[in-house]
Amino acid sequence: MMLLPRWFLEAILLLISALAFTNAAFIGVNIGTDLTNMPSPSDIVSLLKSHQITHVRLYDANSHMLKALSNTTIQVTVGVTNQEILKIGRFPSSAASWVNKNVAAYVPSTNITAIAVGSEVLTESPHVAPILASALNNIHKALVATNLNFQVKVSTPMSMDVMPKPFPPSTSTFSPSWNTTVHQILQFLDNTGSFFMLNAYPYYGYTTANGIFPLDYALFKQLSAVKQIVDPNTLLHYDSMFDAMVDAAYYSMEALNFSKIPVVVTETGWPSSGGSDETAATVGNAETFNSNLIKRVLNNSGPPSKPDIPINTYIYELYNEDKRSGPESEKNWGMFYPNGTSVYPLGLSGGGGGGGSEALNGTTLFCVAKVDADDDKLENGLNWACGQGRANCGPIQPGQACYLPNDIKSHASFAYNDYYQKMKGVGGTCDFDGTAITTPRDPSYRTCAYTGSPNANGTGGNFPPALGPASQVGGNANAVFVSIYHLPFLATLALTLLLVL
């Protein structure tokens, strides 16, 4: 048998990594702990599940939280603290110990998908900066040693302060004093197929701009024709300061010749209360910002310069943190009080499988088979949905749009969802003997549109292939398709092939 060249296999891995970013965008939340009445980990997880929150970021690797998050499918970003970086950057053995203790010990039951090494290290802990790239590399090597590097990405969150002049975005660059360190970090992200973690706060962009930008621009509100924000060099229009900040990061990376690293916003939000001199910190503005942010992110588009790359985003933050120091606004970024009540309404009601009310990640919930569901139970559920449940199962028949991939989980997901979308209004639930779960992420793919999707035509999901925009891996976005069910298999296959070469 002819062995494939190593460069070809590495290209497969990069393709898998790129395809992972073509999924629908998500909204996650940060979980801070600087509050007097910190809820228990189980209460926190219950809150997350009740509001269909699918992604969280922890600022450390708290063992109690990681245990509570097990068997939930919630995707978790864990954090290396700034204080831990020096040791991890200097000693590979320390990095290995950290990964074994805080990641390998919990995977796969806890769905850890990323490690944030430090937080705003360049501006908050500059003495650590020279060794930050080394820490990233050591953590990654430890993941490779535990065969977790395909599942867990490594990056480091940076603040907008590393880009001293973010507007106009097209001329934005990283501060020259950090060029060497930033270049090392970007090279690491590029080599490992990771993403650039950005903390982007339009609240601060607005409050420190001395009236240069209108408040509506920071809150995602539509601007009048005379107030349009345009980059004079590219003539690109910016409907929000958030988009301009993300584009500033893209242009800053391009200035260092890195053009294919996706941006993930690891922190953004708006305070609901502040001191007498913090007039923009109001409940109304916080509700408006976060509501519009959710809509903006979930339209699945990127900023003007990268319209095809969605902006995955984490809201800062889950709870108000009353113990934080500094201005009054610092204590009031949360969407919830410690007792679980909302600071302001965000359409976050909705249970774990029945009603179908709004969820954090969108107004439509889809019903799909659980990843770990028993095949025999799935077959029973599929037969019931297509029979007594009267779901439209035509699209999963041979030769039809949703037949492939031809496996029980895919077919059950389509049938479950068709039943759920048609019957939830009269009490139909998403359970199917414990084999189903609701998700805000549209499971549609290629020419298979799930009932309830904006692309469905109401007859069971068939629709013709569309000419999509250019994808991140070049060419038409619809020209290459790899089912999400196959991504773990492909990654494992590619790793196996690499190891035998």
Side-chain angles (χ1 to χ4, degrees), residues 53-241:
I53 296 172
T54 59
H55 293 70
V56 299
R57 176 185 169 213
L58 310 179
Y59 286 93
D60 53 18
N62 182 276
S63 61
H64 301 293
M65 275 303 304
L66 291 175
K67 289 176 183 176
L69 285 162
S70 67
N71 302 313
T72 64
T73 73
I74 294 172
Q75 295 193 29
V76 184
T77 295
V78 294
V80 174
T81 66
N82 288 7
Q83 293 73 28
E84 293 173 306
I85 291 176
L86 280 176
K87 190 173 182 180
I88 286 173
R90 288 173 177 165
F91 306 107
S93 59
S94 294
S97 176
W98 193 96
V99 167
N100 286 329
K101 176 184 177 182
N102 299 305
V103 180
Y106 298 98
V107 174
S109 59
T110 302
N111 191 16
I112 298 173
T113 56
I115 300 173
V117 180
S119 180
E120 302 185 355
V121 172
L122 302 189
T123 49
E124 296 297 318
S125 303
H127 66 287
V128 177
I131 205 165
L132 179 56
S134 176
L136 292 168
N137 275 290
N138 286 345
I139 289 287
H140 178 72
K141 289 175 182 176
L143 290 172
V144 171
T146 53
N147 291 328
L148 292 174
N149 53 303
F150 292 109
Q151 174 178 339
V152 184
K153 295 298 181 183
V154 183
S155 187
T156 182
M158 295 193 197
S159 74
M160 289 297 300
D161 291 338
V162 299
M163 296 167 278
K165 296 180 180 180
F167 195 87
S170 61
T171 60
S172 179
T173 60
F174 294 109
S175 174
S177 60
W178 296 120
N179 266 0
T180 300
T181 298
V182 171
H183 190 278
Q184 292 172 343
I185 293 169
L186 295 179
Q187 190 66 67
F188 168 84
L189 301 179
D190 194 47
N191 291 344
T192 59
S194 190
F195 39 83
F196 184 90
M197 291 181 169
L198 176 68
N199 293 349
Y201 287 98
Y203 171 76
Y204 292 124
Y206 167 72
T207 57
T208 61
N210 299 317
I212 295 176
F213 299 108
L215 178 61
D216 286 352
Y217 176 57
L219 295 175
F220 297 91
K221 289 185 175 181
Q222 187 171 357
L223 300 175
S224 65
V226 295
K227 292 184 178 180
Q228 293 291 310
I229 308 297
V230 180
D231 187 315
N233 303 305
T234 63
L235 300 183
L236 291 174
H237 286 243
Y238 287 89
D239 296 327
S240 70
M241 187 180 292

